[in-house]
Amino acid sequence: MYIGVDYYPEQWPESRWPEDVTLMKELGVNVVRIAEFGWQLMEPEEGRYDFSLYDRAIKLLTENGIKVVLGTPTATPPAWLIQKHPEILPTDENGVQISFGARRHYTVNSRIFHEYTKKIVTEMAMHYGQHPDIIGWQTDNEYGHEKSDRSYGEEDRQSFQAWLEKKYGTLDQLNENWGTVFWSQTYTDWSQIPVPRKVLQEHNPSLLLDFDRFCADAYTSYNKLQTDCLRENIRDDQFLTHNFVYTDQAINQWDMAEDLDYVSYDNYPVWGGLAEPVSPSAIAHQHDLCRGTKNGKGYWVMEELSGAQGWSKIGYLPRPGHIKLWTYQAISRGAEAIVYFRWRAAHFGTEEFCHGILDHDGIPKRKYNEVKEVIDSLKEHGDDWIASKYEAQAAVYYDTENAWAWNIQPQSSAFSHRQELLRHYTPAHKLNVATDAVNSRSSLEGYKVVFVPIYFLENPIFTEKLKRYAENGGTVVFSYRSGVKKPNNFVTGQTLPGELTEMTGITINEYESLQTGQQNKVNGVKGSLSGLESAATVWCDLIDPVTAEVLAEYDDCFYKGTAAVTKNKYGKGTVYYIGTALEETMLTALYKEIFQEAGAEIIETQNGVEVVRREKFLSAMNHSVDRPAEIALPEGNYIDCATNQKIKGALKLAPLASILLKKE
Ligand code: GAL
């Protein structure tokens, strides 16, 4: 398997390169990613191309047995280009043009920028496209990140209007689909339609959702423009990828991935001002999204955190053990290659405090040794591990459009799309149920349970799939505020939960949004919830069961005694509805019952312990920094890949330890 580093030869004197490469070799690195911010070096002035610096770096690396992934440098349009064409710069929602001086300073709708992109990408592709040791290409860097997903300038506005004209054909259609009769917004000419710049109140939600779709489409075509230039000029076996970020940007990774061979992802469990890493389930969910983006295909972690990171604020120092743990977690969940960010901390520039495997002094120390230990540990079994099948038992719905619709109207100050999604993902992660991330494109065949958290923007294709899946015996779990919106972001005219009414066997005739600090109470009344209590926060759907049975009810306010959680028989299957945000203990008890009834395998472990099964391997990671763990292993005989010792029954893990076991 490939394990490597993100390297910036341009940031170091050439006299240091040989030492770097020797150290990389000793470390066991077999790939580097380079050049993704090197536009100015490769095209120092318009039309004059100079690849000599990267040629020399690539020569040195490849002569030493290290393969190369090249980044196209379009995330950093150079100063000469911006001076000549300032209209490339993006514009924020206040109409302020973003300045040159950092990165990602282009609007993806700039036709001029498209032309310059084509030229630099084609030149690069012609220069490096046949190189035997250049194995792949990364387009740009983290599309949409750092608020570069939405731009509100004049050219963006014209492109948005053209996109709408293509989508709706006539203004009547658009007006109807946006409900523009409301507040006299009817458009009589395409050129009247705004991009959603700052208004006194709030924009039309249908316009906002279409704007997000438009921004995502614009990035997809921009990426396609790059992949077309590359494919025309490179060998067939050089792969194309992009390093995605999956946090609610107006980007559609699934669409874009169709033009890529692999998905890549940048894994930063802790960054900048964070006092500690995000939860293990939050990291795991991101990995599931990557694996789900190309339907289960393995992906690259193109940047894997290896040191404290941040710009003006330096983040948490990863503890001894973290590098291995996050690497093992990534591979467990489907990463096929790991590239550590970054080889060495720079002495200058915005990222002076982004530490890497080496710090500013360039001397190999603890982190270098830790990476070495990881690489050594993967030598014998790494390839078999990544090739071994990952079979999920549960599917978790995630749809970018649903996320956008929620972010446009969160409906409660306590609502965070990510947090609510994780609320439902975490029990599965805690119970070590193997999960996949699915959306309307996915097949639901073979899953024991499909959970559809906060299914606000109902997707007719997916709803149909769910119905068929449940009719045929599947188990579906919905959470509060589901089935509310139509694809054009109108509220359904049906009694809630709209299209899901029959499946869930309930109606919802009233609901209450709870703000930060407000809560109701829920009492479990049936099954494993009996006797359990939980706070109810964020939202309360007041459920009227029709055919469903009640598992928990509210215990406060005028709706005391009203159903809060229900279970319904539908066809040969079962459909749950969870009407409020429950605390982890009650939710985990509920999910445990759901998984057990559906026959999904669970492995109970203490908090912070993650166990992932692949067909021929089992890996375990203890994310706790201070609590050792004892894990009851599933039936079978195992061999510890590090020591070759046989293990059966129980396994002990020190804090932050990770282990790979081979099934006998
Ligand atoms: C990533 C980015 C890298 C670097 C890193 C800092 O998001 O792709 O170029 O900025 O963050 O930690």
Side-chain angles (χ1 to χ4, degrees):
M1 68 180 290
Y2 282 114
I3 302 212
V5 295
D6 297 303
Y7 184 44
Y8 299 93
E10 68 275 19
Q11 296 172 8
W12 305 99
E14 240 175 279
S15 54
R16 165 74 192 200
W17 294 0
E19 190 178 345
D20 278 335
V21 174
T22 305
L23 285 172
M24 285 178 203
K25 250 178 99 173
E26 283 169 9
L27 191 58
V29 156
N30 55 12
V31 68
V32 297
R33 181 202 59 182
I34 59 170
E36 79 277 15
F37 301 122
W39 194 336
Q40 167 68 29
L41 284 165
M42 291 188 269
E43 190 179 1
E45 59 190 16
E46 183 164 358
R48 182 164 72 79
Y49 299 96
D50 177 359
F51 296 102
S52 55
L53 182 137
Y54 292 112
D55 287 350
R56 294 194 297 280
I58 290 169
K59 185 162 185 283
L60 185 65
L61 288 160
T62 55
E63 276 172 0
N64 282 281
I66 298 173
K67 305 280 185 206
V68 172
V69 175
L70 278 178
T72 66
T74 43
T76 46
W80 60 256
L81 175 53
I82 297 302
Q83 184 181 40
K84 185 167 177 201
H85 292 292
E87 65 276 28
I88 286 174
L89 292 169
T91 303
D92 76 5
E93 63 271 50
N94 297 308
V96 175
Q97 198 174 50
I98 300 301
S99 168
F100 178 86
R103 63 176 171 186
R104 303 220 49 75
H105 47 277
Y106 65 85
T107 164
V108 78
N109 296 305
S110 163
R111 271 160 296 211
I112 288 179
F113 190 60
H114 294 175
E115 291 314 307
Y116 282 92
T117 298
K118 278 187 210 156
K119 285 191 228 158
I120 183 69
V121 174
T122 304
E123 288 291 332
M124 251 185 116
M126 288 188 327
H127 191 77
Y128 291 117
Q130 307 305 319
H131 195 299
D133 293 313
I134 293 177
I135 57 168
W137 296 76
Q138 170 192 301
T139 52
D140 201 289
N141 190 74
E142 295 187 340
Y143 288 132
H145 200 28
E146 296 152 0
K147 293 202 185 145
S148 63
D149 50 346
R150 299 174 181 90
S151 173
Y152 305 79
E154 191 42 43
E155 199 167 0
D156 305 308
R157 193 161 92 107
Q158 286 164 14
S159 309
F160 182 41
Q161 291 162 349
W163 183 90
L164 290 168
E165 201 169 340
K166 195 160 168 226
K167 173 165 179 174
Y168 292 107
T170 65
L171 279 169
D172 285 350
Q173 274 293 326
L174 175 133
N175 283 316
E176 202 181 314
N177 270 283
W178 283 8
T180 52
V181 68
F182 192 85
W183 283 355
S184 252
Q185 287 171 354
T186 303
Y187 298 104
T188 55
D189 195 290
W190 294 101
S191 65
Q192 295 160 353
I193 302 169
V195 281
R197 279 203 189 166
K198 192 140 186 65
V199 284
L200 289 177
Q201 297 84 18
E202 289 179 17
H203 271 283
N204 178 324
S206 301
L207 177 148
L208 288 173
L209 185 58
D210 265 345
F211 185 65
D212 283 354
R213 289 179 174 128
F214 155 74
C215 293
D217 277 3
Y219 262 111
T220 301
S221 351
Y222 177 68
N223 183 61
K224 173 94 170 40
L225 179 151
Q226 295 217 8
T227 56
D228 284 350
C229 296
L230 288 166
R231 284 201 210 280
E232 255 173 51
N233 294 290
I234 63 173
R235 282 196 333 264
D236 286 350
D237 62 342
Q238 290 185 340
F239 67 77
L240 302 186
T241 189
H242 175 75
N243 53 340
F244 285 116
V245 175
Y246 283 86
T247 32
D248 294 347
Q249 282 115 342
I251 295 283
N252 190 329
Q253 294 86 352
W254 284 258
D255 278 351
M256 209 184 278
E258 289 184 7
D259 301 316
L260 301 168
D261 299 302
Y262 288 100
V263 165
S264 290
Y265 166 64
D266 294 344
N267 189 28
Y268 291 91
V270 62
W271 205 85
L274 282 185
E276 55 178 38
V278 299
S279 71
S281 66
I283 314 169
H285 184 250
Q286 299 276 307
H287 287 299
D288 283 3
L289 286 177
C290 297
R291 204 184 56 253
T293 308
K294 269 186 114 43
N295 223 348
K297 190 167 180 178
Y299 56 92
W300 280 53
V301 175
M302 201 54 95
E303 298 179 15
E304 174 73 45
L305 178 96
S306 64
Q309 294 278 312
W311 293 336
S312 47
K313 267 191 216 138
I314 305 179
Y316 173 98
L317 174 66
R319 306 299 190 239
H322 264 139
I323 293 180
K324 181 169 180 193
L325 183 123
W326 288 326
T327 304
Y328 271 41
Q329 184 188 25
I331 301 173
S332 304
R333 305 195 83 90
E336 287 189 359
I338 305 284
V339 185
Y340 291 101
F341 187 87
R342 46 187 279 152
W343 170 243
R344 179 178 171 186
H347 292 271
F348 46 75
T350 308
E351 301 208 323
E352 283 172 346
F353 296 133
C354 284
H355 297 83
I357 295 175
L358 303 184
D359 290 328
H360 296 100
D361 61 10
I363 301 170
K365 296 176 194 167
R366 183 208 23 117
K367 290 176 287 175
Y368 180 91
N369 295 334
E370 196 170 325
V371 174
K372 179 143 185 44
E373 188 202 318
V374 182
I375 296 180
D376 287 346
S377 79
L378 291 168
K379 277 197 176 127
E380 203 180 329
H381 299 286
D383 286 325
D384 290 342
W385 190 13
I386 61 175
S388 180
K389 245 209 237 137
Y390 174 99
E391 255 176 322
Q393 309 224 321
V396 189
Y397 182 70
Y398 176 90
D399 175 73
T400 43
E401 295 203 351
N402 186 37
W404 302 334
W406 269 110
N407 290 335
I408 289 167
Q409 295 171 305
Q411 302 156 78
S412 155
S413 62
F415 181 83
S416 137
H417 178 262
R418 221 175 136 52
Q419 183 187 306
E420 293 311 308
L421 188 71
L422 287 176
R423 189 189 297 281
H424 288 270
Y425 178 79
T426 300
H429 185 260
K430 266 186 87 164
L431 296 166
N432 295 294
V433 172
T435 43
D436 268 349
V438 295
N439 62 23
S440 58
R441 300 163 197 224
S442 320
S443 153
L444 300 181
E445 220 173 289
Y447 295 117
K448 303 261 178 13
V449 180
V450 175
F451 44 112
V452 195
I454 48 175
Y455 187 36
F456 181 52
L457 189 79
E458 189 250 320
N459 178 316
I461 297 174
F462 193 62
T463 300
E464 269 316 302
K465 282 191 183 174
L466 286 171
K467 282 187 186 159
R468 278 198 303 277
Y469 167 78
E471 275 162 10
N472 290 323
T475 298
V476 179
V477 187
F478 291 108
S479 77
Y480 71 82
R481 212 66 184 129
S482 286
V484 177
K485 287 280 191 132
K486 295 285 161 199
N488 64 348
N489 220 5
F490 280 13
V491 175
T492 176
Q494 290 170 261
T495 302
L496 291 179
E499 293 293 330
L500 316 176
T501 302
E502 210 194 320
M503 282 179 89
T504 51
I506 59 169
T507 59
I508 294 162
N509 293 292
E510 289 196 84
Y511 48 70
E512 177 165 43
S513 160
L514 300 179
Q515 309 309 309
T516 311
Q518 277 188 302
Q519 62 177 56
N520 200 304
K521 244 182 88 186
V522 162
N523 286 333
V525 294
K526 192 141 192 206
S528 60
L529 294 195
S530 297
L532 292 183
E533 291 178 1
S534 165
T537 52
V538 187
W539 191 269
C540 296
D541 274 331
L542 279 52
I543 303 178
D544 293 317
V546 180
T547 52
E549 56 179 315
V550 179
L551 303 185
E553 51 190 42
Y554 295 106
D555 191 35
D556 201 2
C557 199
F558 80 91
Y559 48 94
K560 182 178 166 75
T562 303
V565 181
T566 57
K567 174 180 179 183
N568 190 43
K569 278 269 146 223
Y570 180 75
K572 292 187 203 141
T574 311
V575 180
Y576 291 81
Y577 192 95
I578 305 170
T580 183
L582 295 171
E583 286 173 315
E584 195 172 306
T585 312
M586 189 188 257
L587 203 56
T588 307
L590 175 61
Y591 272 107
K592 185 172 162 192
E593 184 178 309
I594 295 172
F595 290 135
Q596 280 175 332
E597 273 192 30
E601 289 166 272
I602 62 177
I603 304 173
E604 285 194 80
T605 51
Q606 75 187 40
N607 252 350
V609 173
E610 179 171 356
V611 181
V612 185
R613 280 183 262 201
R614 303 281 284 257
E615 194 181 11
K616 296 188 182 136
F617 291 88
L618 179 145
S619 50
M621 283 85 35
N622 180 6
H623 291 261
S624 168
V625 290
D626 48 23
R627 280 184 68 198
E630 187 156 339
I631 302 164
L633 290 171
E635 273 297 288
N637 297 321
Y638 300 89
I639 293 172
D640 178 342
C641 291
T643 61
N644 275 328
Q645 269 174 357
K646 288 194 178 212
I647 300 192
K648 200 179 156 98
L651 170 71
K652 286 197 170 132
L653 275 188
L656 289 184
S658 13
I659 192 168
L660 177 65
L661 306 179
K662 197 169 175 352
K663 292 184 195 162
E664 262 198 321

